[in-house]
Amino acid sequence: MHTLQWHSRAEKAPEICRHCKKGGMEQSFVSSGLFRVNANRHTLDVWLIHRCTICGRSWKMEIHERVCPRDLAPEALHGYQVNDAALAWRCAHDQTLLVNNRAVAYYANVPITIDGPAIDMQALAAPVTIELMAEIALPIRVARILREKLSLSTAALKRLVEEGRIECPGVDVRKARLAPGMQVILY
């Protein structure tokens, strides 16, 4: 059986749904890519700044609260201080941070890039195992990735799954969320 790898990555940060004090209702907030580091005696507070898409009001997503600077990795502390874009991207997607901040992230409008060879299901001569790789666990459905990469409609994907030509060991392909190292088998 031939094995291929598809690498998935989100091209932008997810929208966060929160109550906007200025607008008085639930609004979408997006990461500005900027950190705020605040010293409080011998401790630091670190936040990632998000902005309301309607009014521009800011919301600070807590990264660290009252942490001793010596307890932070030197490269992380430096990244917070210089607004490292890659670090901001990782924090904006960090599911633990989002849960701790009672933030709900929406990935429906986030463009996902999938690097790897395309496969024509009509010309498939032998079974192929696809390893789905990702830098971080993205809460997107595997079906979305398969539809985009295999150029299938939702109905066509459903038909192939029901026929047993697409399977994901141990999980339902149509409902499973992307996890790094997940495998999908095409017949």
Side-chain angles (χ1 to χ4, degrees), residues 40-67:
N40 187 358
R41 294 191 182 250
H42 300 291
T43 61
L44 295 176
D45 293 324
V46 180
W47 300 281
L48 178 61
I49 307 299
H50 285 69
R51 299 254 179 235
C52 177
T53 57
I54 304 299
C55 68
R57 186 177 181 92
S58 66
W59 167 65
K60 299 180 293 191
M61 184 172 87
E62 182 181 291
I63 308 295
H64 296 288
E65 180 182 25
R66 304 287 192 260
V67 66

Side-chain angles (χ1 to χ4, degrees), residues 6-17:
W6 287 350
H7 295 270
S8 301
R9 69 179 182 282
E11 293 299 320
K12 67 177 191 173
E15 291 182 359
I16 306 293
C17 187

